[in-house]
Amino acid sequence: MVDVELLARRLVEIVGPAHVIRDPEQLATFERDWTGRFVGVASLVVRPGSTAEVAQVVRTCAELGAPIVPQGGNTGLVGGSVPRSGEVVLHLGRLHELSDVDERSRQLSAGAGVTIAEVQERARQVGLDYPVDLASRDSATVGGTIATNAGGMYVGRYGPTRAQVVGLEAVLADGSVISRMSGLIKDNSGYDLISLFVGSEGTLAVVTRARLRLVPSLPARAVALLGLPSLERAVELVAVLHRTLPTLLAAEVFFHEGLELVCRHRGVRPPFDRPARCYLLLECGGQEDPAPGLAEAVADVVPEEWALLGSTPIERSRLWTYRESHTEAINAEGVPHKLDVTLPLAALPAFEQEVRDRLRRRVPGARPILFGHVGDGNLHVNVLGCDPADERVEEAVLTLVAEHGGSISAEHGIGVAKARWLHLTRSAADIAAMRAIKRALDPQGILNPGVLFPPEHP
Ligand code: MLT
Ligand code: ZN
C-alpha cells in the first residue's frame, strides 16, 4: 500500500508545490482519455521540469513502490496514458525545450513535452520538415509519439516515428538516466536501446528528450480525391501509382458511412454528386508543382466525374477535411471502440468485407466505420453503437486480423485496450522474450503496469 501523503511530500521537495496536483477537480482532466473510453483514478499528478527532476521523481516512486503512468498530450487511443487504479501520473508537458535546427546534420533536439506541430514549425523555418504528421499534431507530443511509435499519413514515404529518432534521453525504472543524444547516424556499439524504447509504451523507460531527423520540405503540394467502387480497386490503384507517380506521399482511404458522418458533423457538402462506396485520397509533394503529374496519373485510372483535384491550400485542406475529420466526427456520435490494425495488402479488401459481416453477426447493434492509411495496409476499424466495455468487438475484429496474417496494432500501440489479445499476433516465445526485457529493466513493475502485457496468472 503506497503512503500517498509521504509520496506527495517527497515529490513536492523535488518539483515544488505548484507541480504536484491532488485536487480532484484538477486531477479529472488527467484521468480520462480524450475518447472518453478510458477513465481511471490517479493518486496524484506530478509535473517535473527537467530530466534530472524526472529521474528523482521516478527514483522516489520506486522507493515507495508507487506505480507510474507517463502522460504527454493524452491523445493516445489505447488507454496507455491514463491511470487505471491510483497510479502516479507523470506528466511531461514541462519538458518543453526545443533546440534550433542543426543544418549540417538536419536534426534538432526536443523535450518530451514539445508538440509535433512545434517541431514541424521549427523545421520549416529552415526549409526542412518533420515527417511524422497526424491530425492531433497540435496536442500530440514528442514523448508520446515516441512511446507509441506513432505513424500518421506519411509512413509509406518516411517510415514511422522510430525511423526519425536518432537520439534519446530516457529515465529507467530505478531513476538512472540513459542519454544518447549525439545524433550519430552510424553507431554500432551494442544493443540499440533507442529502437527498443521507441514503441515500448512507457513500460521500459520514461522518454524525456529526443534527437530527431528532419527531411527536406516539399512545399509544392497537390491532393486528389477519387470515388471508387471498392477497396480492392483502391489497393490496385495505389500499387500502380507508387510506380508511376514518384511524388506520391500519402494514400488514405475512407468509406461512404464515414463520409456521411463527417459531412453532418462539419456541415460540409459531399465531394461528389453521388456517393461512392470507397474514397481514395492521394497527396503528392515536390519542389515543383506536382499537380500536373497527379492530374495526368488520375485521368488514366478513373472517369472524370469521380476525381477532384486540389492544388491551392484551400482546396487541399477542403479535400483533407473529409479524411482528417473522421476521428472527431465519430467521437461526436458516441464512445467508439477504436481498433487500429494492419493487414497484408493482398488480404486488405477481403478483411474489410468480412469484418463488417462478422461484427453484424457477433455484436448486434455494432456500427463499423472504417478509414485509414491504405498505402500501409493500415485500417482503423471504429465501432459505434456498443457498450465501451463490450469486448466482443475486440474479439471479433482482432481474431479476424490474426486469421488474415495481420497485426492487432499498426500505429496506436497495444495499451490496455488490446493487452488481452497480444497472443493473437505474437508467439509465446515472442511474449516471453518481451517479458524478460520488461523484468530486467523494471523488476518492480512500476512503469505503466497493465499496458502491453496481459496480467500473468500464477
Ligand atoms: C488517424 O489516422 O486519423 C489517426 O490514427 C486517429 C484515429 O485513428 O482516430
Ligand atoms: Zn492513423
Side-chain angles (χ1 to χ4, degrees):
M1 193 62 184
V2 179
D3 182 341
V4 179
E5 295 305 322
L6 173 63
L7 177 65
R9 276 201 305 279
R10 298 270 305 270
L11 296 182
V12 165
E13 281 165 21
I14 300 166
V15 299
H19 301 299
V20 175
I21 301 170
R22 297 191 68 192
D23 170 55
E25 236 171 77
Q26 282 178 282
L27 284 182
T29 55
F30 300 88
E31 291 176 327
R32 148 187 290 265
D33 83 325
W34 69 276
T35 67
R37 180 158 181 231
F38 300 98
V39 187
V41 179
S43 58
L44 55 82
V45 174
V46 57
R47 293 168 46 89
S50 64
T51 299
E53 285 187 5
V54 175
Q56 287 183 62
V57 166
V58 172
R59 203 171 303 124
T60 303
C61 289
E63 256 174 52
L64 300 183
I68 294 169
V69 175
Q71 190 178 95
N74 201 9
T75 57
L77 294 165
V78 285
S81 63
V82 285
R84 272 73 66 182
S85 50
E87 296 89 347
V88 168
V89 171
L90 173 46
H91 194 273
L92 297 149
R94 289 179 65 221
L95 302 187
H96 206 257
E97 215 174 287
L98 180 58
S99 78
D100 287 336
V101 175
D102 173 355
E103 294 188 48
R104 281 163 306 198
S105 63
R106 298 180 306 283
Q107 295 174 3
L108 57 67
S109 302
V114 174
T115 66
I116 296 307
E118 287 166 334
V119 174
Q120 290 171 338
E121 196 191 315
R122 179 65 50 97
R124 286 171 194 163
Q125 286 166 0
V126 295
L128 295 170
D129 211 341
Y130 183 57
V132 174
D133 196 24
L134 57 184
S136 56
R137 60 183 76 80
D138 292 316
S139 314
T141 58
V142 166
T145 53
I146 289 176
T148 53
N149 187 26
M153 335 289 186
Y154 304 122
V155 171
R157 179 69 166 256
Y158 298 108
T161 298
R162 182 175 284 119
Q164 327 308 330
V165 179
V166 290
L168 205 66
E169 190 168 87
V171 174
L172 300 186
D174 62 359
S176 55
V177 177
I178 291 198
S179 187
R180 294 190 181 183
M181 288 291 287
S182 56
L184 297 175
I185 292 295
K186 293 183 132 181
D187 182 1
N188 280 354
S189 341
Y191 297 140
D192 186 353
L193 296 181
I194 297 177
S195 284
L196 177 64
F197 292 160
V198 179
S200 62
E201 302 189 42
T203 62
L204 298 181
V206 179
V207 173
T208 54
R209 227 154 54 100
R211 186 88 180 151
L212 301 173
R213 170 183 94 104
L214 306 172
V215 299
S217 102
L218 300 174
R221 300 278 173 136
V223 174
L225 182 64
L226 316 185
L228 300 175
S230 64
L231 179 60
E232 183 154 22
R233 183 71 183 131
V235 171
E236 273 169 26
L237 285 187
V238 172
V240 172
L241 294 170
H242 268 308
R243 286 197 302 271
T244 57
L245 201 57
T247 54
L248 188 62
L249 292 178
E252 301 280 307
V253 75
F254 51 92
F255 297 85
H256 177 51
E257 75 278 350
L259 178 69
E260 253 182 34
L261 271 190
V262 166
C263 290
R264 187 147 32 94
H265 175 71
R266 298 292 303 244
V268 294
R269 289 168 55 81
F272 301 105
D273 294 339
R274 283 176 295 133
R277 185 166 179 278
C278 175
Y279 296 86
L280 176 64
L281 183 140
L282 304 165
E283 181 173 18
C284 292
Q287 298 296 339
E288 290 177 6
D289 186 6
L294 177 59
E296 198 180 317
V298 163
D300 283 347
V301 292
V302 285
E304 205 183 326
E305 75 264 31
W306 286 114
L308 290 170
L309 204 71
S311 36
T312 67
I314 289 180
E315 288 164 353
R316 293 198 315 259
S317 131
R318 186 177 85 85
L319 296 182
W320 263 113
T321 295
Y322 293 120
R323 161 65 181 87
E324 279 206 324
S325 301
H326 267 69
T327 304
E328 64 182 63
I330 291 168
N331 254 49
E333 288 283 299
V335 177
H337 288 249
K338 294 186 77 75
L339 297 161
D340 153 53
V341 301
T342 182
L343 280 301
L345 279 167
L348 201 64
F351 171 82
E352 184 258 325
Q353 306 253 349
E354 288 170 31
V355 79
R356 295 175 193 278
D357 285 354
R358 189 173 281 198
L359 280 165
R360 196 172 27 247
R361 278 186 283 110
R362 297 200 184 168
V363 195
R367 218 176 120 201
I369 294 138
L370 275 60
F371 62 96
H373 316 280
V374 66
D376 313 332
N378 179 187
L379 281 180
H380 297 311
V381 181
N382 285 244
V383 184
L384 284 167
C386 311
D387 191 293
D390 188 348
E391 292 195 325
R392 286 178 304 171
V393 177
E394 278 73 15
E395 184 73 25
V397 176
L398 300 180
T399 52
L400 186 64
V401 169
E403 286 162 28
H404 281 288
S407 165
I408 64 166
S409 170
E411 58 172 8
H412 295 172
I414 298 294
V416 292
K418 297 183 191 162
R420 252 188 68 193
W421 288 276
L422 185 63
H423 68 278
L424 287 175
T425 55
R426 288 283 180 257
S427 69
D430 243 313
I431 295 175
M434 290 199 280
R435 279 198 194 274
I437 293 170
K438 168 74 177 168
R439 269 194 294 269
L441 290 181
D442 180 15
Q444 280 178 276
I446 61 160
L447 292 181
N448 230 0
V451 163
L452 192 49
F453 299 105
E456 257 177 312
H457 298 295

